[in-house]
Amino acid sequence: MTNRIPQEPVITGSLAPEPKRRGRKRTKKRYFTEDTDAAIKEYLASSNQDKRDYIFKTRIHYPFYKLAENLIHTFKFYYTEVDNLEDLKHEVICFLLEKLDYFKPEKGTKAFSYFSIVGKNYLILYNNNNYKKKKQKADPLAADEDEGVLRQLGRDERKQEIKDFIDYLTEYIDKHMFTMFKKDKDRKVADAINVLFKRRENLEIFNKKALYIYIREMTQVDTPVITKVTKILRKKYKELYQEYDETGYVRV
């Protein structure tokens, strides 16, 4: 009697025989699954930010990443403000995260359909705006000299106002950091943003999208944390700027 050990049917290594190919057979692995739908529902049902962050990181981030990747390549959204498409994917993920709370699963809408439309609309607008920017070419000799001088004076005055306000803003954030943010990781992000604001000579190169990318590299924190902190700072920015606009200063 011979004892036979079952063998795996797949042979690996250089000695494995080459299968006969009659065209390439592709199998698509689903990235937006029933678990993704369930995770989104759990995320929306929770009021605990730590739990939300964990759900997003472990069960929603990858489906959003693949969705962003497929939208970009399927519809060829290649007119970007960034050099790396990975950064563009990150921008789309941040946008989808901001829109998560607007999704209402109780209405019967499928999450995949909803976020596909939301992401596609975002990329259409983003792509079209950047395409227009690339087409615009200004000829400085064609501009009226006097009108150009007046415009420049207005820009210089506006720049000084923004510079003065940011002085107040950064001082306020430094002073109230521990009051505004209770968690170390939140303060880490807020401090990174404040550092960027203090570097005013480079500030104009940092739009919202670039800020997300740069802060992620500086702090190594997850996207939900950056989104949460930027929302708080955006609200505080508007509140303090209104005070500055009315009085000419901010009570730090």
Side-chain angles (χ1 to χ4, degrees):
M1 183 175 180
T2 304
N3 293 326
R4 299 182 61 188
I5 300 175
Q7 300 293 324
E8 290 292 333
V10 178
I11 302 174
T12 59
S14 59
L15 297 179
E18 286 291 325
K20 294 181 179 180
R21 297 184 179 181
R22 297 180 180 178
R24 184 178 294 177
K25 183 178 180 181
R26 296 182 179 180
T27 56
K28 287 188 176 181
K29 182 179 178 181
R30 291 179 61 205
Y31 58 87
F32 217 104
T33 64
E34 290 78 12
D35 181 71
T36 310
D37 290 330
I40 290 173
K41 290 178 182 178
E42 291 178 30
Y43 178 97
L44 295 174
S46 176
S47 58
N48 184 299
Q49 189 59 49
D50 288 335
K51 182 178 179 181
R52 279 185 154 208
D53 293 350
Y54 180 79
I55 293 172
F56 182 85
K57 179 181 179 180
T58 58
R59 299 166 64 192
I60 301 176
H61 180 272
Y62 179 74
F64 274 8
Y65 174 87
K66 294 300 293 182
L67 177 61
E69 183 178 69
N70 287 346
L71 287 172
I72 291 168
H73 292 302
T74 300
F75 300 100
K76 304 188 185 304
F77 292 123
Y78 297 140
Y79 289 100
T80 75
E81 294 179 345
V82 294
D83 297 325
N84 192 325
L85 284 181
E86 287 299 313
D87 293 335
L88 178 56
K89 294 174 195 175
H90 180 70
E91 294 172 17
V92 177
I93 293 170
C94 291
F95 182 77
L96 295 178
L97 175 59
E98 290 181 352
K99 298 302 179 184
L100 249 176
D101 285 315
Y102 291 90
F103 176 62
K104 306 297 180 185
E106 64 271 15
K107 292 186 176 180
T109 307
K110 294 293 184 181
F112 178 79
S113 299
Y114 177 85
F115 289 106
S116 293
I117 293 171
V118 168
K120 183 180 177 182
N121 288 343
Y122 171 82
L123 283 166
I124 288 173
L125 183 61
Y126 178 88
N127 194 72
N128 289 349
N129 286 341
N130 283 300
Y131 178 69
K132 289 177 183 177
K133 288 179 185 178
K134 290 180 184 292
K135 287 182 65 179
Q136 289 174 348
K137 292 183 179 180
D139 182 2
L141 297 178
D144 180 80
E145 183 177 354
D146 292 335
E147 186 180 16
V149 171
L150 290 173
R151 283 201 303 271
Q152 186 59 45
L153 287 173
R155 284 196 292 268
D156 290 342
E157 183 178 355
R158 178 62 175 164
K159 286 181 180 179
Q160 185 61 44
E161 286 182 3
I162 296 297
K163 178 182 180 298
D164 292 342
F165 170 68
I166 291 176
D167 281 335
Y168 284 116
L169 176 66
T170 54
E171 186 180 354
Y172 183 96
I173 294 173
D174 280 337
K175 185 174 181 179
H176 299 278
M177 180 78 72
F178 282 80
T179 304
M180 295 172 65
F181 303 101
K182 304 298 183 184
K183 297 181 179 179
D184 288 340
K185 60 183 178 181
D186 294 346
R187 289 194 292 268
K188 189 177 181 181
V189 173
D191 186 60
I193 295 174
N194 216 28
V195 168
L196 293 180
F197 281 145
K198 290 175 182 177
R199 298 174 183 171
R200 283 184 287 277
E201 68 277 8
N202 297 322
L203 183 61
E204 50 190 276
I205 69 170
F206 291 116
N207 56 28
K208 177 185 173 184
K209 304 175 185 66
L211 274 172
Y212 266 106
I213 298 164
Y214 196 73
I215 293 164
R216 181 185 57 182
E217 293 174 352
M218 288 176 65
T219 62
Q220 299 298 311
V221 301
D222 296 327
T223 300
V225 180
I226 300 174
T227 303
K228 178 180 64 176
V229 172
T230 53
K231 282 182 178 180
I232 294 172
L233 290 179
R234 189 185 305 127
K235 183 179 179 181
K236 181 58 65 176
Y237 180 101
K238 293 178 180 178
E239 178 186 317
L240 294 179
Y241 188 79
Q242 183 176 355
E243 180 182 347
Y244 176 78
D245 192 45
E246 293 173 355
T247 64
Y249 65 93
V250 174
R251 289 172 294 179
V252 177

